[in-house]
Amino acid sequence: MSKGFSELRTRLEEIADLRNVSALLEWDQQTYMPLKGTEARARQMALLAGLAHEKQTEERLGELLEALSADPSLAEEDKALVREARRDHLKAVKVPSELVREIVETSGRAHTIWVDARRKNDFGSFAPWLAKLVALQTRKAEALGFPEDGAAYDALLDGYEPGATVAVLDPIIQRTVEISRKAVEAVSSSGRKPSAEVLKRGFGEEEQRRFCMLLVSRLGFDLEAGRLDTSVHPFTTSFDIQDVRITTRYQKNWLSASIFGTLHECGHALYEQGLDPAHRGTPLSEAVSLGIHESQSRFWENQVGRSIAFWKHWYKDLQKLFPIISDVGLESFYAAINTVQPSMIRVEADEVTYNLHIAIRYEMERAIFDKSVAVQDLPSLWNDKCESYLGIRPEKDADGILQDIHWSFGGFGYFPTYLLGNLYAAQWMAAMRKEIVDLDELMERGELQPMLRWLREKIHKQGRRYPAHELCTRICGEPLNPDHFGAYLAAKFGSLYQVSL
Ligand code: ZN
């Protein structure tokens, strides 16, 4: 390793560790920290964010990266490492540190206001803060820059899904909307309304926890290099490949929350545990994008966890743990975990309607950054879109525009990655089925490791070596294609609801 390259690695590892420490503080805040610790914690986290930004923008780092990107003797993977590290550095230097600090501070305060506004169903109190966050993110987008024929929103999208722009996303989202709308219509015209009653029968927390622990260990989550804890909003975070944390929640009268929440977060965690330790602390040991990250969670939650093959193996264990459902057959349970019902709340949405929730948010964000709508008019625009996409109109803003946390921390451009994750997950499954031909039989026997090995090899180990769209083409022989998701919905829900989609 050249002297310059090893200096680069040391610097990158330090930046990564500052972020990891910050992530640990955040994990603690959401799991065990007493409420009164909030203020000190915010200060500590802002300090760490500032230090990381300083290190990320150091001139010496820029010089090293310039020199190394002109070095033809570097191995291919080292070139990729330099390319990605340089990308991060150049983006970071474009954003002035005062703006970074202002964003962190304002987001922290706006978040508290949003929590209160949602509780009181009072959009008016959050509106001025939303306007501030939009103004700050617009400044950030302008600092980052975007092509003349592009949109300010593009610069924000790129922060979550590198390479994603309005021009790239528009046709993908449009097609996904067509697919989803058609599926919703077919399902509702079927006249079938499977009951989800079995999931509401009352389930002890300790038994739920035992089942979830069993699931994650059988999926391949290394419990000696990770933990499963409880939090209000389930999430996954990582401080190192050897220390990945997931959380879930146990609801007595809604079994899906823990089971599918855990499968979802475990999918994220398997990605983090599967990154290449040889490149620890560098972009080659980081997730390529949030869309790809979400594809891992959706893969295990939906493609696997909501399939009949999976439950052919697991349902007996679940019934043993919960005799209260011993009278319910496998087919009814499978129908219950896959009921389709347009609803107001994104996080409770089923696979068929979920992407429509994202389409609403994507269009809202576009309108916000096009400046084609004033902040005070946002709730009614939201409600109109909700009505048009889902056929229902929120009665209160708490169930509409105030429901999601993302805007409260200025996370504009984040939502589309959920939709991309759903699409990628279906595309991985289609590609995997061509290579692992007895995939359903394996699932029926509870053998999940061949699937994990496939994901590890093709996705996890690659880190940021290839941009998401290139990774997809390398794996599937074609770029992201929503029709795989369409075919998946048609097969699964066509048979569940006895209709043709
Ligand atoms: Zn997720």
Side-chain angles (χ1 to χ4, degrees):
M1 202 188 293
S2 79
K3 223 174 123 215
F5 194 76
S6 76
E7 186 188 338
L8 172 68
R9 282 204 59 152
T10 308
R11 285 174 174 272
L12 294 178
E13 282 161 20
E14 281 176 7
I15 298 168
D17 273 338
L18 280 170
R19 298 226 168 90
N20 292 332
V21 175
S22 197
L24 172 57
L25 291 186
E26 167 119 36
W27 172 85
D28 174 69
Q29 179 165 14
Q30 293 196 44
T31 49
Y32 295 106
M33 191 191 81
L35 192 63
K36 288 183 178 171
T38 308
E39 216 175 294
R41 185 55 50 89
R43 198 180 60 234
Q44 292 152 359
M45 282 173 43
L47 173 67
L48 283 169
L51 289 174
H53 184 75
E54 257 171 47
K55 277 198 172 289
Q56 180 81 76
T57 52
E58 264 172 3
E59 233 174 88
R60 172 68 189 150
L61 179 61
E63 290 163 11
L64 269 174
L65 286 165
E66 282 313 306
L68 286 165
S69 30
D71 182 351
S73 71
L74 284 187
E76 274 317 302
E77 64 177 12
D78 294 341
K79 278 187 190 153
L81 187 155
V82 170
R83 178 197 72 219
E84 291 301 302
R86 186 160 176 259
R87 184 183 140 85
D88 295 343
H89 170 74
L90 291 177
K91 280 187 81 163
V93 291
K94 282 183 187 164
V95 187
S97 39
E98 311 86 73
L99 181 57
V100 173
R101 249 197 317 275
E102 212 180 326
I103 287 175
V104 172
E105 274 175 32
T106 312
S107 307
R109 289 159 70 192
H111 176 73
T112 315
I113 306 276
W114 166 77
V115 170
D116 204 45
R118 186 168 80 153
R119 194 168 48 84
K120 294 182 183 147
N121 187 38
D122 176 18
F123 178 77
S125 64
F126 179 57
W129 288 89
L130 183 55
K132 273 184 214 176
L133 291 167
V134 170
L136 285 170
Q137 292 297 325
T138 305
R139 273 169 62 198
K140 184 176 165 187
E142 279 160 3
L144 287 168
F146 47 90
E148 229 165 79
D149 57 349
Y153 186 41
D154 287 347
L156 303 178
L157 287 166
D158 189 79
Y160 301 101
E161 191 68 20
T165 60
V166 167
V168 169
L169 288 179
D170 264 355
I172 294 173
I173 292 182
Q174 234 166 48
R175 177 74 188 123
T176 309
V177 164
E178 273 169 33
I179 289 167
S180 308
R181 281 195 144 143
K182 205 173 131 216
V184 173
E185 267 162 39
V187 163
S188 63
S189 71
S190 76
R192 289 179 175 248
K193 281 204 174 3
S195 164
E197 178 274 332
V198 58
L199 303 166
K200 301 174 186 167
R201 287 190 179 179
F203 302 89
E205 175 167 339
E206 182 45 34
E207 289 80 6
Q208 289 193 50
R209 201 188 66 83
R210 267 176 21 220
F211 190 69
C212 288
M213 287 297 271
L214 187 63
L215 280 180
V216 298
S217 61
R218 284 292 284 279
L219 254 60
F221 180 63
D222 180 356
L223 280 156
E224 287 177 1
R227 288 180 55 91
L228 171 64
D229 290 272
T230 316
S231 68
V232 181
H233 303 286
F235 68 99
T236 301
T237 188
S238 162
F239 322 134
D240 185 81
I241 293 162
Q242 300 289 355
D243 191 354
V244 178
R245 309 292 176 96
I246 38 182
T247 70
T248 191
R249 57 180 159 186
Y250 304 104
Q251 294 179 3
K252 194 168 187 303
N253 294 317
W254 187 237
L255 186 61
S256 287
S258 68
I259 292 183
F260 297 104
T262 304
L263 288 173
H264 181 100
E265 299 307 332
C266 186
H268 283 303
L270 291 171
Y271 190 6
E272 292 291 334
Q273 285 189 339
L275 293 164
D276 190 347
H279 297 289
R280 168 182 271 120
T282 78
L284 293 192
S285 186
E286 279 172 14
V288 55
S289 74
L290 285 195
I292 300 293
H293 225 308
E294 192 69 3
S295 78
Q296 300 306 294
S297 57
R298 291 304 200 180
F299 182 85
W300 293 103
E301 177 196 355
N302 291 337
Q303 298 287 332
V304 174
R306 282 191 164 90
S307 74
I308 186 80
F310 179 80
W311 287 103
K312 276 187 185 165
H313 176 80
W314 288 99
Y315 192 51
K316 283 186 295 299
D317 289 332
L318 190 71
Q319 283 182 314
K320 230 177 274 164
L321 209 49
F322 299 110
I324 197 168
I325 59 168
S326 55
D327 62 314
V328 178
L330 172 65
E331 295 290 336
S332 308
F333 178 77
Y334 173 60
I337 59 173
N338 284 297
T339 49
V340 177
Q341 178 69 55
S343 70
M344 233 69 93
I345 309 294
R346 175 185 61 85
V347 295
E348 292 165 8
D350 55 76
E351 287 182 87
V352 175
T353 56
Y354 189 93
N355 290 324
L356 296 172
H357 289 266
I358 302 305
I360 295 169
R361 286 150 181 78
Y362 173 72
E363 287 180 11
M364 294 291 294
E365 290 185 341
R366 283 199 58 186
I368 289 170
F369 288 94
D370 280 354
K371 299 191 173 69
S372 60
V373 57
V375 168
Q376 71 267 22
D377 298 328
L378 286 171
S380 61
L381 183 64
W382 179 290
N383 295 345
D384 291 348
K385 287 188 185 296
C386 191
E387 201 166 355
S388 135
Y389 277 119
L390 293 159
I392 42 180
R393 195 174 180 88
E395 279 171 18
K396 47 186 203 258
D397 291 335
D399 291 339
I401 192 166
L402 287 173
Q403 67 179 271
D404 291 306
I405 189 175
H406 304 63
W407 290 354
S408 82
F409 62 81
F412 305 96
Y414 193 126
F415 285 120
T417 67
Y418 292 134
L419 179 142
L420 295 175
N422 288 329
L423 302 184
Y424 276 125
Q427 196 156 337
W428 304 147
M429 187 52 116
M432 196 185 278
R433 281 186 185 283
K434 286 187 197 153
E435 290 171 41
I436 310 177
V437 285
D438 56 346
L439 203 130
D440 287 322
E441 289 82 352
L442 287 169
M443 271 198 267
E444 286 171 22
R445 292 203 298 270
E447 290 175 33
L448 306 170
Q449 290 316 296
M451 290 192 281
L452 179 59
R453 276 198 297 274
W454 192 97
L455 296 169
R456 284 263 144 98
E457 210 45 53
K458 298 190 187 263
I459 300 168
H460 304 179
K461 281 212 167 67
Q462 305 304 325
R464 289 167 61 186
R465 198 162 311 208
Y466 311 108
H469 64 94
E470 194 184 328
L471 182 72
C472 182
T473 307
R474 293 182 84 96
I475 295 172
C476 308
E478 61 171 339
L480 182 62
N481 176 357
D483 290 344
H484 293 288
F485 180 72
Y488 162 71
L489 284 192
K492 178 172 175 178
F493 292 91
S495 125
L496 266 164
Y497 283 82
Q498 299 286 299
V499 281
S500 84
L501 268 86

